Amino acid sequence: MQKFMYANSGWNALYLENHDQPRSINRFACSCPNHRAISTKLLATFLGCQAGTPFIYQGQEWGMTNVSKEWGIDEYKDLNTLNHWR
């Protein structure tokens, strides 16, 4: 896509995640405590080295991960989630 955009005078909108997708650190890297910092830096470097305008989703700038699969409904504090659960 990078070559195509250059050849056609285009400009990319760069993103790795949005509200419809899992966190990029969980999709493309390792979110475990031992590798989380380096994985976050790797993804930021990957995004930053491409031509285009990077879009950063809320929490992505500090390596936010997905909610743990082991969480029960009692761990959630978000009213929309709790209302949907009911």
Side-chain angles (χ1 to χ4, degrees):
M1 184 56 84
Q2 294 284 302
K3 289 181 182 180
F4 175 82
M5 295 303 280
Y6 275 127
N8 293 282
S9 300
W11 193 251
N12 284 322
L14 307 169
Y15 65 95
L16 293 175
E17 62 188 62
N18 63 36
H19 65 275
D20 291 327
Q21 300 166 332
R23 294 286 180 177
S24 55
I25 194 168
N26 292 94
R27 286 180 72 196
F28 305 119
C30 180
S31 64
C32 63
N34 293 339
H35 298 101
R36 185 173 171 185
I38 195 70
S39 293
T40 303
K41 292 173 187 175
L42 170 89
L43 292 171
T45 302
F46 165 74
L47 194 63
C49 287
Q50 296 185 62
T53 302
F55 291 88
I56 309 298
Y57 188 63
Q58 295 172 338
Q60 184 181 1
E61 71 280 5
W62 50 279
M64 189 174 209
T65 62
N66 291 333
V67 173
S68 173
K69 292 180 183 178
E70 289 78 32
W71 275 25
I73 192 64
D74 55 316
E75 296 285 339
Y76 290 87
K77 307 299 181 218
D78 178 64
L79 292 178
N80 287 332
T81 300
L82 295 173
N83 289 335
H84 181 73
W85 177 259
R86 282 188 216 115

